[in-house]
Amino acid sequence: MKVEFAPINIPLKRRIQTVAVLQWIFSFLLLEFCCGFFVILILGNFWFLAVLYLLWLYLDWETPCTGGRRSQWVRSWTVWKYFREYFPIHLIKTSDLNPNHNYLLGFHPHGVLVAGAFGNFCTGPSFKNLFPGLTPYLHIMPIWFGCPFFREYIMSAGMVSASKESVSYVLNKEGGGHASVIVIGGAEESLNAHPGSLTLNILKRKGFIKMALKHGAHLVPVFSFGENELFKQVANPKGSWLRNVQEKMQKIMGFALPLFHARGVFQYSFGLIPYRQPIHTVVGSPIPVKKNLNPTTEEIEQLHALYLQKLRKLFEEHKRDYGIPEHKSLIF
């Protein structure tokens, strides 16, 4: 295997950007550190601190389902600026979103680590500048909020639980101006995150449609071009032994484990640093939704079909701008 090395004299800004991406990657490994640190507190001389934190955890348990606890200071860290510039990550507006309404933004595709969703809705001023008066909430799996200390970190970035209670809390806020951002394909879709893949796990995902109807939240399709190009994943076609194992583990643990790799710090052959590929997250036009506390199956199906139509239209209108061949289309 031929190994290509990057030039020794790497520009300072690029090195800082690479460090910023490492910060993002190792944020996921921080989960293990937090759990380990908590165990050390319990077994060590500072067990009383662990007891105090457990009391805090008990009292604060519902916070991820009630809007979270964002910190503008954390969301504005300079490291996130360099993180966005590394790829770079862009947010594209196609239509105004009236802050007098609440919105449910469906984010596609999941990719391996949803870089576009994190970069656009959890850090930086882009969303606020393009959609003044709207506050975004990125919904992630509830399991992450059960980890001591780590939960405080992700909540500070504006992440909240993806439970029904959490989505309802955001969409039920009076006066409008709130946007739930849900990665519709979920963790299962990350197993399809191969470069060039346009397969979305959405046909059976209709819970978000029901939530939009029950709360009268306007639906907005969002497609993130380049999301699947950041990593290469070990081949795992449907029916393969690897895919079967991954799907079984996903059902047991609640999250998927894609086997991915990209580039290293000083070479481009192998590593965990994502490839430097631009991400363009395009926010589509809103689909008006009237509040219906008890939607019928037929009404849910009709709105779901309309959402798929609008999502496909959004993709087709912008695919040529971001390097997608004319003959390629979304696969639902």
Side-chain angles (χ1 to χ4, degrees):
M1 178 183 294
K2 183 179 179 181
V3 179
E4 296 181 8
F5 291 91
I8 302 255
N9 186 24
I10 303 175
L12 176 61
K13 184 176 181 180
R14 181 163 294 188
R15 279 183 282 172
I16 295 175
Q17 291 171 346
T18 302
V19 170
V21 173
L22 281 172
Q23 152 86 4
W24 171 65
I25 291 290
F26 286 110
S27 292
F28 294 90
L29 299 182
L30 180 65
L31 175 67
E32 296 180 12
F33 172 80
C34 290
C35 292
F37 179 68
F38 186 72
V39 171
I40 291 173
L41 286 179
I42 292 177
L43 300 179
N45 295 328
F46 297 96
W47 58 267
F48 60 93
L49 294 178
V51 172
L52 288 175
Y53 186 82
L54 283 176
L55 177 61
W56 160 255
L57 194 61
Y58 173 77
L59 297 174
D60 194 57
W61 189 254
E62 295 299 321
T63 299
C65 295
T66 54
R69 186 169 46 248
R70 69 182 56 217
S71 165
Q72 192 55 41
W73 175 66
V74 173
R75 289 167 60 87
S76 302
W77 280 352
T78 302
V79 69
W80 302 134
K81 171 180 177 289
Y82 288 110
F83 164 76
R84 294 189 302 275
E85 290 179 350
Y86 171 86
F87 299 97
I89 295 176
H90 303 281
L91 186 66
I92 291 88
K93 171 183 176 180
T94 63
S95 177
D96 290 331
L97 298 182
N98 189 332
N100 294 325
H101 299 294
N102 289 329
Y103 297 88
L104 195 159
L105 277 62
F107 184 91
H108 312 271
H110 185 287
V112 172
L113 295 176
V114 286
F118 179 78
N120 285 311
F121 303 116
C122 292
T123 70
S126 295
F127 188 87
K128 182 179 180 180
N129 292 340
L130 292 177
F131 304 102
L134 282 184
T135 301
Y137 300 80
L138 180 60
H139 295 268
I140 64 175
M141 291 184 297
I143 189 174
W144 301 121
F145 296 99
C147 177
F149 306 118
F150 183 72
R151 69 191 296 272
E152 321 301 336
Y153 173 70
I154 56 179
M155 275 198 291
S156 66
M159 300 183 204
V160 293
S161 172
S163 66
K164 292 181 180 179
E165 296 78 12
S166 178
V167 177
S168 293
Y169 181 88
V170 174
L171 299 183
N172 205 35
K173 284 178 173 286
E174 296 183 359
H178 301 276
S180 282
V181 183
I182 301 178
V183 185
I184 304 300
E188 184 180 351
E189 191 174 83
S190 67
L191 300 179
N192 293 326
H194 297 271
S197 173
L198 295 172
T199 301
L200 302 182
N201 183 28
I202 190 174
L203 287 180
K204 295 182 180 180
R205 302 275 175 146
K206 299 174 184 176
F208 74 102
I209 297 292
K210 187 174 182 179
M211 293 297 291
L213 282 166
K214 290 182 69 173
H215 297 285
H218 295 192
L219 280 168
V220 182
V222 178
F223 195 88
S224 194
F225 291 89
E227 197 75 41
N228 284 341
E229 323 308 319
L230 306 184
F231 298 92
K232 292 180 180 178
Q233 190 173 165
V234 175
N236 59 343
K238 282 280 188 180
S240 66
W241 69 269
L242 176 58
R243 185 59 168 259
N244 290 336
V245 170
Q246 289 175 320
E247 290 178 346
K248 287 180 181 179
M249 293 182 69
Q250 191 263 328
K251 290 179 180 178
I252 294 173
M253 298 185 298
F255 56 90
L257 292 173
L259 299 179
F260 62 90
H261 65 89
R263 52 160 290 190
V265 178
F266 300 112
Q267 46 76 30
Y268 299 103
S269 299
F270 189 84
L272 291 178
I273 298 178
Y275 294 112
R276 192 185 293 269
Q277 296 288 340
I279 299 173
H280 295 88
T281 303
V282 184
V283 181
S285 301
I287 303 171
V289 178
K290 290 186 178 180
K291 189 171 183 178
N292 184 349
L293 294 177
N294 296 294
T296 64
T297 301
E298 183 180 0
E299 289 170 330
I300 293 174
E301 292 286 351
Q302 287 178 349
L303 185 54
H304 186 260
L306 177 59
Y307 180 86
L308 294 182
Q309 177 186 333
K310 295 294 185 180
L311 175 60
R312 188 181 294 279
K313 181 181 178 182
L314 177 70
F315 174 81
E316 293 294 332
E317 287 179 347
H318 294 274
K319 67 180 183 181
R320 288 176 292 278
D321 298 333
Y322 306 117
I324 306 295
E326 184 66 33
H327 68 278
K328 286 203 169 187
S329 297
L330 293 179
I331 300 173
F332 296 144

